[in-house]
Amino acid sequence: MADTNCSSAVLMQFAKWPEEGRVKTRLMPALGAGGALRAHVTLTLAVLDNLCATGYPVQFWWDREIERVPYEADVIVHNLECAGLEQRIQQGGTLGDRMLAALTSSLEAHSRAVVIGSDCPSVDPQYVRQALDKLTEFDVVLGPSNDGGYVLIGASRVVPGMLDDIEWGSEQVLAQTQARLEKLGLRVSLLEPRWDVDEPEDWARFQRLIDA
């Protein structure tokens, strides 16, 4: 049976601070640096809308300390402030360190926590609810992506080092993560695969989705 207690779970959106030349770099050959930056902002807001539509609490985690707020970031910050969402800063040297730190921190106050990337517009509200439902039975849930990674990771239990020694950015991320988690004795559930936006063809797919 699906859990309807929204306060028992929290959703954490991870995002890079928007800066031209630093975000969605694989889109730059097709869109230019400015276009890639605008794509990053568009995707970030699309994911945010999906998460807020779930009815669960949402936190927004930037990848670095906020120094100044350019226009592109101001659009995101304005939406976050209007929605009354908490903004936090990711902590750790690798993506695995940062995700584990966020999950660990959030599980101190909630029974389930889920991290979602800002380039995953295919993660719709129902998909997130499925992940949270799985966490009533499993320790960790992963939402596979078509490129060998995953679009979300959720946990009801964490173990130190459980995201160590992963080749982030490779096609082995999902397989390595699942193997490491299971080796540590964690019960893992996989959702159906989803897609994220990394390459120009992914961006085109997203544009078609918007047009439809």
Side-chain angles (χ1 to χ4, degrees):
M1 179 180 297
D3 174 61
T4 56
N5 182 6
C6 291
S7 64
S8 69
V10 64
L11 309 178
M12 296 174 284
Q13 182 175 346
F14 269 33
K16 286 186 176 182
W17 183 253
E19 182 179 306
E20 189 170 307
R22 183 173 178 266
V23 294
K24 307 313 299 175
T25 54
R26 281 184 275 178
L27 295 182
M28 288 184 193
L31 304 180
L37 174 59
R38 290 189 291 274
H40 170 74
V41 173
T42 299
L43 290 166
T44 298
L45 294 177
V47 172
L48 182 62
D49 284 346
N50 280 340
L51 299 187
C52 289
T54 65
Y56 285 89
V58 176
Q59 297 174 352
F60 197 92
W61 291 67
W62 294 109
D63 72 331
R64 66 181 186 183
E65 293 286 347
I66 300 170
E67 299 176 356
R68 60 182 182 84
V69 183
Y71 169 76
E72 291 79 12
D74 186 58
V75 174
I76 300 173
V77 171
H78 175 75
N79 277 268
L80 294 172
E81 292 177 345
C82 286
L85 301 185
E86 182 179 4
Q87 298 179 63
R88 296 191 178 186
I89 306 298
Q90 301 167 31
Q91 303 292 329
T94 70
L95 177 58
D97 293 337
R98 296 193 295 271
M99 292 193 298
L100 179 57
L103 290 168
T104 301
S105 172
S106 292
L107 288 177
E108 293 175 358
H110 303 86
S111 60
R112 295 162 296 163
V114 178
V115 173
I116 305 95
S118 287
D119 57 357
C120 308
S122 62
V123 177
D124 56 38
Q126 182 57 33
Y127 194 74
V128 176
R129 295 187 190 105
Q130 289 175 10
L132 291 169
D133 288 345
K134 290 291 186 182
L135 289 175
T136 62
E137 304 175 39
F138 294 87
D139 299 315
V140 179
V141 61
L142 297 169
S145 63
N146 293 333
D147 60 5
Y150 39 89
V151 295
L152 67 73
I153 178 171
S156 58
R157 175 188 168 211
V158 293
V159 174
M162 72 183 204
L163 296 178
D164 287 355
D165 302 321
I166 308 297
E167 297 176 58
W168 302 107
S170 76
E171 296 179 353
Q172 301 302 313
V173 169
L174 175 65
Q176 290 176 350
T177 301
Q178 185 178 4
R180 182 163 184 83
L181 294 173
E182 292 175 346
K183 182 178 180 180
L184 292 171
L186 294 166
R187 298 167 298 162
V188 182
S189 177
L190 297 183
L191 301 177
E192 295 180 357
R194 286 291 187 269
W195 54 275
D196 53 14
V197 177
D198 287 322
E199 305 291 345
E201 54 266 30
D202 303 322
W203 177 249
R205 181 178 186 177
F206 174 65
Q207 294 295 107
R208 291 194 298 271
L209 179 66
I210 293 176
D211 292 341

mmCIF file of all heavy atoms in Angstrom, residues 2-43:
data_model
loop_
_atom_site.group_PDB
_atom_site.id
_atom_site.type_symbol
_atom_site.label_atom_id
_atom_site.label_comp_id
_atom_site.label_asym_id
_atom_site.label_seq_id
_atom_site.Cartn_x
_atom_site.Cartn_y
_atom_site.Cartn_z
ATOM 1 N N ALA A 2 0.519 2.221 -0.800
ATOM 2 C CA ALA A 2 1.310 3.447 -0.904
ATOM 3 C C ALA A 2 1.234 4.248 0.386
ATOM 4 O O ALA A 2 0.190 4.331 1.024
ATOM 5 C CB ALA A 2 0.824 4.283 -2.079
ATOM 6 N N ASP A 3 2.345 4.831 0.769
ATOM 7 C CA ASP A 3 2.400 5.668 1.961
ATOM 8 C C ASP A 3 1.949 7.074 1.598
ATOM 9 O O ASP A 3 2.371 7.652 0.614
ATOM 10 C CB ASP A 3 3.832 5.707 2.500
ATOM 11 C CG ASP A 3 3.962 6.679 3.645
ATOM 12 O OD1 ASP A 3 3.288 6.475 4.660
ATOM 13 O OD2 ASP A 3 4.729 7.639 3.508
ATOM 14 N N THR A 4 1.069 7.633 2.424
ATOM 15 C CA THR A 4 0.526 8.960 2.128
ATOM 16 C C THR A 4 1.019 10.022 3.106
ATOM 17 O O THR A 4 0.577 11.161 3.069
ATOM 18 C CB THR A 4 -1.013 8.922 2.157
ATOM 19 O OG1 THR A 4 -1.440 8.427 3.444
ATOM 20 C CG2 THR A 4 -1.551 8.007 1.075
ATOM 21 N N ASN A 5 1.935 9.653 3.987
ATOM 22 C CA ASN A 5 2.478 10.600 4.958
ATOM 23 C C ASN A 5 3.626 11.367 4.321
ATOM 24 O O ASN A 5 4.769 10.916 4.315
ATOM 25 C CB ASN A 5 2.957 9.851 6.201
ATOM 26 C CG ASN A 5 3.488 10.794 7.268
ATOM 27 O OD1 ASN A 5 3.395 12.011 7.135
ATOM 28 N ND2 ASN A 5 4.062 10.230 8.309
ATOM 29 N N CYS A 6 3.326 12.535 3.793
ATOM 30 C CA CYS A 6 4.329 13.299 3.039
ATOM 31 C C CYS A 6 5.482 13.775 3.916
ATOM 32 O O CYS A 6 6.596 13.948 3.429
ATOM 33 C CB CYS A 6 3.666 14.490 2.346
ATOM 34 S SG CYS A 6 2.548 14.017 1.004
ATOM 35 N N SER A 7 5.225 13.980 5.205
ATOM 36 C CA SER A 7 6.280 14.474 6.079
ATOM 37 C C SER A 7 7.330 13.410 6.373
ATOM 38 O O SER A 7 8.398 13.723 6.905
ATOM 39 C CB SER A 7 5.680 14.987 7.391
ATOM 40 O OG SER A 7 5.067 13.921 8.101
ATOM 41 N N SER A 8 7.067 12.157 6.035
ATOM 42 C CA SER A 8 8.023 11.088 6.320
ATOM 43 C C SER A 8 9.127 11.007 5.278
ATOM 44 O O SER A 8 10.071 10.232 5.426
ATOM 45 C CB SER A 8 7.298 9.736 6.387
ATOM 46 O OG SER A 8 6.831 9.353 5.093
ATOM 47 N N ALA A 9 9.018 11.781 4.215
ATOM 48 C CA ALA A 9 9.991 11.720 3.120
ATOM 49 C C ALA A 9 10.375 13.121 2.685
ATOM 50 O O ALA A 9 9.644 14.083 2.919
ATOM 51 C CB ALA A 9 9.408 10.945 1.941
ATOM 52 N N VAL A 10 11.536 13.209 2.030
ATOM 53 C CA VAL A 10 11.983 14.492 1.490
ATOM 54 C C VAL A 10 12.634 14.248 0.133
ATOM 55 O O VAL A 10 13.295 13.225 -0.085
ATOM 56 C CB VAL A 10 12.969 15.186 2.457
ATOM 57 C CG1 VAL A 10 14.238 14.383 2.634
ATOM 58 C CG2 VAL A 10 13.277 16.598 2.001
ATOM 59 N N LEU A 11 12.438 15.188 -0.780
ATOM 60 C CA LEU A 11 13.033 15.143 -2.111
ATOM 61 C C LEU A 11 14.114 16.207 -2.192
ATOM 62 O O LEU A 11 13.894 17.355 -1.795
ATOM 63 C CB LEU A 11 11.970 15.392 -3.189
ATOM 64 C CG LEU A 11 10.707 14.539 -3.096
ATOM 65 C CD1 LEU A 11 9.725 14.934 -4.191
ATOM 66 C CD2 LEU A 11 11.034 13.057 -3.166
ATOM 67 N N MET A 12 15.267 15.828 -2.728
ATOM 68 C CA MET A 12 16.393 16.756 -2.818
ATOM 69 C C MET A 12 16.820 16.897 -4.274
ATOM 70 O O MET A 12 17.264 15.935 -4.898
ATOM 71 C CB MET A 12 17.568 16.243 -1.979
ATOM 72 C CG MET A 12 17.261 16.180 -0.505
ATOM 73 S SD MET A 12 18.607 15.403 0.434
ATOM 74 C CE MET A 12 18.335 13.682 0.015
ATOM 75 N N GLN A 13 16.657 18.079 -4.813
ATOM 76 C CA GLN A 13 17.089 18.337 -6.184
ATOM 77 C C GLN A 13 18.514 18.861 -6.168
ATOM 78 O O GLN A 13 18.805 19.887 -5.555
ATOM 79 C CB GLN A 13 16.164 19.341 -6.874
ATOM 80 C CG GLN A 13 16.563 19.607 -8.330
ATOM 81 C CD GLN A 13 15.589 20.509 -9.063
ATOM 82 O OE1 GLN A 13 14.469 20.746 -8.582
ATOM 83 N NE2 GLN A 13 15.983 21.009 -10.214
ATOM 84 N N PHE A 14 19.408 18.146 -6.850
ATOM 85 C CA PHE A 14 20.797 18.576 -6.996
ATOM 86 C C PHE A 14 20.932 19.418 -8.256
ATOM 87 O O PHE A 14 20.392 19.057 -9.303
ATOM 88 C CB PHE A 14 21.717 17.354 -7.100
ATOM 89 C CG PHE A 14 22.265 16.867 -5.781
ATOM 90 C CD1 PHE A 14 21.517 16.967 -4.624
ATOM 91 C CD2 PHE A 14 23.526 16.296 -5.700
ATOM 92 C CE1 PHE A 14 22.013 16.515 -3.396
ATOM 93 C CE2 PHE A 14 24.043 15.853 -4.496
ATOM 94 C CZ PHE A 14 23.290 15.964 -3.344
ATOM 95 N N ALA A 15 21.673 20.518 -8.172
ATOM 96 C CA ALA A 15 21.848 21.382 -9.337
ATOM 97 C C ALA A 15 23.193 22.073 -9.312
ATOM 98 O O ALA A 15 23.717 22.416 -8.245
ATOM 99 C CB ALA A 15 20.735 22.438 -9.393
ATOM 100 N N LYS A 16 23.759 22.289 -10.489
ATOM 101 C CA LYS A 16 24.955 23.108 -10.620
ATOM 102 C C LYS A 16 24.559 24.579 -10.623
ATOM 103 O O LYS A 16 23.525 24.959 -11.182
ATOM 104 C CB LYS A 16 25.695 22.786 -11.922
ATOM 105 C CG LYS A 16 26.448 21.473 -11.911
ATOM 106 C CD LYS A 16 27.269 21.323 -13.189
ATOM 107 C CE LYS A 16 28.111 20.065 -13.149
ATOM 108 N NZ LYS A 16 28.961 19.932 -14.372
ATOM 109 N N TRP A 17 25.396 25.387 -9.986
ATOM 110 C CA TRP A 17 25.186 26.832 -10.028
ATOM 111 C C TRP A 17 25.310 27.275 -11.484
ATOM 112 O O TRP A 17 26.277 26.953 -12.163
ATOM 113 C CB TRP A 17 26.208 27.529 -9.157
ATOM 114 C CG TRP A 17 26.017 29.016 -9.085
ATOM 115 C CD1 TRP A 17 26.784 29.970 -9.685
ATOM 116 C CD2 TRP A 17 24.986 29.710 -8.384
ATOM 117 N NE1 TRP A 17 26.303 31.217 -9.400
ATOM 118 C CE2 TRP A 17 25.190 31.086 -8.603
ATOM 119 C CE3 TRP A 17 23.909 29.307 -7.598
ATOM 120 C CZ2 TRP A 17 24.359 32.055 -8.051
ATOM 121 C CZ3 TRP A 17 23.080 30.272 -7.051
ATOM 122 C CH2 TRP A 17 23.307 31.625 -7.274
ATOM 123 N N PRO A 18 24.309 27.999 -12.010
ATOM 124 C CA PRO A 18 24.302 28.345 -13.435
ATOM 125 C C PRO A 18 25.335 29.402 -13.798
ATOM 126 O O PRO A 18 25.261 30.537 -13.347
ATOM 127 C CB PRO A 18 22.870 28.855 -13.667
ATOM 128 C CG PRO A 18 22.391 29.290 -12.329
ATOM 129 C CD PRO A 18 23.085 28.425 -11.316
ATOM 130 N N GLU A 19 26.290 28.983 -14.601
ATOM 131 C CA GLU A 19 27.342 29.883 -15.063
ATOM 132 C C GLU A 19 27.714 29.499 -16.485
ATOM 133 O O GLU A 19 27.959 28.321 -16.770
ATOM 134 C CB GLU A 19 28.564 29.785 -14.145
ATOM 135 C CG GLU A 19 29.700 30.715 -14.519
ATOM 136 C CD GLU A 19 30.866 30.581 -13.543
ATOM 137 O OE1 GLU A 19 30.639 30.724 -12.336
ATOM 138 O OE2 GLU A 19 31.983 30.313 -14.007
ATOM 139 N N GLU A 20 27.750 30.465 -17.364
ATOM 140 C CA GLU A 20 28.035 30.191 -18.772
ATOM 141 C C GLU A 20 29.389 29.494 -18.926
ATOM 142 O O GLU A 20 30.392 29.918 -18.343
ATOM 143 C CB GLU A 20 28.021 31.497 -19.573
ATOM 144 C CG GLU A 20 28.098 31.294 -21.077
ATOM 145 C CD GLU A 20 27.839 32.568 -21.848
ATOM 146 O OE1 GLU A 20 26.782 33.204 -21.598
ATOM 147 O OE2 GLU A 20 28.671 32.931 -22.695
ATOM 148 N N GLY A 21 29.403 28.430 -19.696
ATOM 149 C CA GLY A 21 30.619 27.671 -19.924
ATOM 150 C C GLY A 21 30.858 26.569 -18.912
ATOM 151 O O GLY A 21 31.784 25.767 -19.069
ATOM 152 N N ARG A 22 30.020 26.512 -17.889
ATOM 153 C CA ARG A 22 30.209 25.532 -16.810
ATOM 154 C C ARG A 22 29.130 24.464 -16.785
ATOM 155 O O ARG A 22 29.327 23.399 -16.197
ATOM 156 C CB ARG A 22 30.234 26.280 -15.471
ATOM 157 C CG ARG A 22 30.483 25.413 -14.263
ATOM 158 C CD ARG A 22 30.663 26.254 -13.001
ATOM 159 N NE ARG A 22 30.859 25.413 -11.835
ATOM 160 C CZ ARG A 22 29.885 25.014 -11.024
ATOM 161 N NH1 ARG A 22 28.635 25.408 -11.251
ATOM 162 N NH2 ARG A 22 30.143 24.240 -9.982
ATOM 163 N N VAL A 23 27.968 24.719 -17.389
ATOM 164 C CA VAL A 23 26.833 23.799 -17.302
ATOM 165 C C VAL A 23 26.460 23.294 -18.694
ATOM 166 O O VAL A 23 26.613 23.987 -19.694
ATOM 167 C CB VAL A 23 25.617 24.471 -16.638
ATOM 168 C CG1 VAL A 23 25.911 24.796 -15.188
ATOM 169 C CG2 VAL A 23 25.218 25.740 -17.387
ATOM 170 N N LYS A 24 25.970 22.046 -18.727
ATOM 171 C CA LYS A 24 25.525 21.384 -19.964
ATOM 172 C C LYS A 24 26.536 21.577 -21.093
ATOM 173 O O LYS A 24 26.201 21.973 -22.213
ATOM 174 C CB LYS A 24 24.147 21.906 -20.397
ATOM 175 C CG LYS A 24 23.057 21.841 -19.336
ATOM 176 C CD LYS A 24 23.004 20.511 -18.621
ATOM 177 C CE LYS A 24 22.721 19.332 -19.524
ATOM 178 N NZ LYS A 24 22.798 18.024 -18.768
ATOM 179 N N THR A 25 27.790 21.275 -20.795
ATOM 180 C CA THR A 25 28.869 21.535 -21.760
ATOM 181 C C THR A 25 28.738 20.698 -23.030
ATOM 182 O O THR A 25 29.196 21.114 -24.087
ATOM 183 C CB THR A 25 30.230 21.278 -21.112
ATOM 184 O OG1 THR A 25 30.263 19.951 -20.553
ATOM 185 C CG2 THR A 25 30.489 22.291 -19.990
ATOM 186 N N ARG A 26 28.112 19.537 -22.925
ATOM 187 C CA ARG A 26 27.951 18.705 -24.118
ATOM 188 C C ARG A 26 26.884 19.235 -25.067
ATOM 189 O O ARG A 26 26.774 18.769 -26.197
ATOM 190 C CB ARG A 26 27.645 17.257 -23.711
ATOM 191 C CG ARG A 26 28.901 16.489 -23.286
ATOM 192 C CD ARG A 26 28.600 15.048 -22.985
ATOM 193 N NE ARG A 26 28.142 14.869 -21.615
ATOM 194 C CZ ARG A 26 27.773 13.696 -21.096
ATOM 195 N NH1 ARG A 26 27.773 12.609 -21.851
ATOM 196 N NH2 ARG A 26 27.383 13.609 -19.841
ATOM 197 N N LEU A 27 26.130 20.227 -24.614
ATOM 198 C CA LEU A 27 25.162 20.878 -25.503
ATOM 199 C C LEU A 27 25.771 22.078 -26.223
ATOM 200 O O LEU A 27 25.165 22.616 -27.157
ATOM 201 C CB LEU A 27 23.938 21.350 -24.703
ATOM 202 C CG LEU A 27 23.061 20.291 -24.048
ATOM 203 C CD1 LEU A 27 21.879 20.954 -23.356
ATOM 204 C CD2 LEU A 27 22.580 19.254 -25.053
ATOM 205 N N MET A 28 26.957 22.494 -25.806
ATOM 206 C CA MET A 28 27.552 23.711 -26.369
ATOM 207 C C MET A 28 27.816 23.645 -27.867
ATOM 208 O O MET A 28 27.599 24.653 -28.564
ATOM 209 C CB MET A 28 28.841 24.054 -25.626
ATOM 210 C CG MET A 28 28.623 24.571 -24.234
ATOM 211 S SD MET A 28 30.190 25.067 -23.466
ATOM 212 C CE MET A 28 29.671 25.228 -21.768
ATOM 213 N N PRO A 29 28.275 22.517 -28.425
ATOM 214 C CA PRO A 29 28.485 22.491 -29.880
ATOM 215 C C PRO A 29 27.226 22.817 -30.668
ATOM 216 O O PRO A 29 27.302 23.421 -31.744
ATOM 217 C CB PRO A 29 28.949 21.049 -30.135
ATOM 218 C CG PRO A 29 29.593 20.639 -28.855
ATOM 219 C CD PRO A 29 28.758 21.274 -27.788
ATOM 220 N N ALA A 30 26.072 22.441 -30.138
ATOM 221 C CA ALA A 30 24.808 22.694 -30.830
ATOM 222 C C ALA A 30 24.165 24.013 -30.427
ATOM 223 O O ALA A 30 23.561 24.701 -31.261
ATOM 224 C CB ALA A 30 23.823 21.552 -30.569
ATOM 225 N N LEU A 31 24.296 24.416 -29.167
ATOM 226 C CA LEU A 31 23.566 25.572 -28.653
ATOM 227 C C LEU A 31 24.444 26.765 -28.325
ATOM 228 O O LEU A 31 23.930 27.863 -28.114
ATOM 229 C CB LEU A 31 22.785 25.173 -27.389
ATOM 230 C CG LEU A 31 21.806 24.000 -27.491
ATOM 231 C CD1 LEU A 31 21.132 23.758 -26.148
ATOM 232 C CD2 LEU A 31 20.760 24.255 -28.570
ATOM 233 N N GLY A 32 25.773 26.557 -28.256
ATOM 234 C CA GLY A 32 26.656 27.610 -27.780
ATOM 235 C C GLY A 32 26.632 27.655 -26.257
ATOM 236 O O GLY A 32 25.759 27.068 -25.619
ATOM 237 N N ALA A 33 27.571 28.383 -25.674
ATOM 238 C CA ALA A 33 27.648 28.442 -24.215
ATOM 239 C C ALA A 33 26.409 29.087 -23.604
ATOM 240 O O ALA A 33 25.882 28.630 -22.594
ATOM 241 C CB ALA A 33 28.902 29.202 -23.786
ATOM 242 N N GLY A 34 25.938 30.170 -24.236
ATOM 243 C CA GLY A 34 24.749 30.840 -23.727
ATOM 244 C C GLY A 34 23.510 29.978 -23.844
ATOM 245 O O GLY A 34 22.681 29.933 -22.936
ATOM 246 N N GLY A 35 23.384 29.286 -24.969
ATOM 247 C CA GLY A 35 22.238 28.400 -25.158
ATOM 248 C C GLY A 35 22.255 27.239 -24.195
ATOM 249 O O GLY A 35 21.198 26.817 -23.687
ATOM 250 N N ALA A 36 23.448 26.705 -23.921
ATOM 251 C CA ALA A 36 23.563 25.612 -22.961
ATOM 252 C C ALA A 36 23.180 26.077 -21.560
ATOM 253 O O ALA A 36 22.541 25.345 -20.800
ATOM 254 C CB ALA A 36 24.985 25.059 -22.966
ATOM 255 N N LEU A 37 23.558 27.303 -21.223
ATOM 256 C CA LEU A 37 23.181 27.861 -19.925
ATOM 257 C C LEU A 37 21.665 27.997 -19.819
ATOM 258 O O LEU A 37 21.058 27.630 -18.806
ATOM 259 C CB LEU A 37 23.847 29.212 -19.728
ATOM 260 C CG LEU A 37 23.431 30.004 -18.477
ATOM 261 C CD1 LEU A 37 23.723 29.205 -17.212
ATOM 262 C CD2 LEU A 37 24.162 31.342 -18.440
ATOM 263 N N ARG A 38 21.038 28.516 -20.864
ATOM 264 C CA ARG A 38 19.575 28.655 -20.844
ATOM 265 C C ARG A 38 18.895 27.287 -20.777
ATOM 266 O O ARG A 38 17.861 27.125 -20.109
ATOM 267 C CB ARG A 38 19.115 29.436 -22.074
ATOM 268 C CG ARG A 38 19.498 30.922 -22.032
ATOM 269 C CD ARG A 38 18.859 31.715 -23.151
ATOM 270 N NE ARG A 38 19.407 31.351 -24.456
ATOM 271 C CZ ARG A 38 20.510 31.894 -24.982
ATOM 272 N NH1 ARG A 38 21.184 32.812 -24.305
ATOM 273 N NH2 ARG A 38 20.934 31.534 -26.182
ATOM 274 N N ALA A 39 19.476 26.296 -21.448
ATOM 275 C CA ALA A 39 18.925 24.939 -21.383
ATOM 276 C C ALA A 39 19.003 24.409 -19.957
ATOM 277 O O ALA A 39 18.059 23.768 -19.462
ATOM 278 C CB ALA A 39 19.691 24.019 -22.340
ATOM 279 N N HIS A 40 20.121 24.663 -19.290
ATOM 280 C CA HIS A 40 20.297 24.227 -17.899
ATOM 281 C C HIS A 40 19.216 24.832 -17.001
ATOM 282 O O HIS A 40 18.622 24.130 -16.174
ATOM 283 C CB HIS A 40 21.684 24.644 -17.417
ATOM 284 C CG HIS A 40 21.896 24.463 -15.940
ATOM 285 N ND1 HIS A 40 22.075 23.232 -15.355
ATOM 286 C CD2 HIS A 40 21.956 25.376 -14.922
ATOM 287 C CE1 HIS A 40 22.234 23.392 -14.050
ATOM 288 N NE2 HIS A 40 22.170 24.677 -13.774
ATOM 289 N N VAL A 41 18.956 26.114 -17.170
ATOM 290 C CA VAL A 41 17.940 26.778 -16.358
ATOM 291 C C VAL A 41 16.562 26.188 -16.657
ATOM 292 O O VAL A 41 15.778 25.895 -15.737
ATOM 293 C CB VAL A 41 17.949 28.293 -16.606
ATOM 294 C CG1 VAL A 41 16.770 28.966 -15.896
ATOM 295 C CG2 VAL A 41 19.267 28.897 -16.137
ATOM 296 N N THR A 42 16.257 25.981 -17.932
ATOM 297 C CA THR A 42 14.964 25.417 -18.322
ATOM 298 C C THR A 42 14.756 24.031 -17.739
ATOM 299 O O THR A 42 13.690 23.707 -17.198
ATOM 300 C CB THR A 42 14.860 25.356 -19.860
ATOM 301 O OG1 THR A 42 14.952 26.678 -20.392
ATOM 302 C CG2 THR A 42 13.543 24.734 -20.295
ATOM 303 N N LEU A 43 15.784 23.195 -17.825
ATOM 304 C CA LEU A 43 15.693 21.842 -17.290
ATOM 305 C C LEU A 43 15.554 21.854 -15.769
ATOM 306 O O LEU A 43 14.756 21.095 -15.195
ATOM 307 C CB LEU A 43 16.933 21.044 -17.685
ATOM 308 C CG LEU A 43 17.055 20.690 -19.169
ATOM 309 C CD1 LEU A 43 18.467 20.210 -19.489
ATOM 310 C CD2 LEU A 43 16.035 19.622 -19.544
#
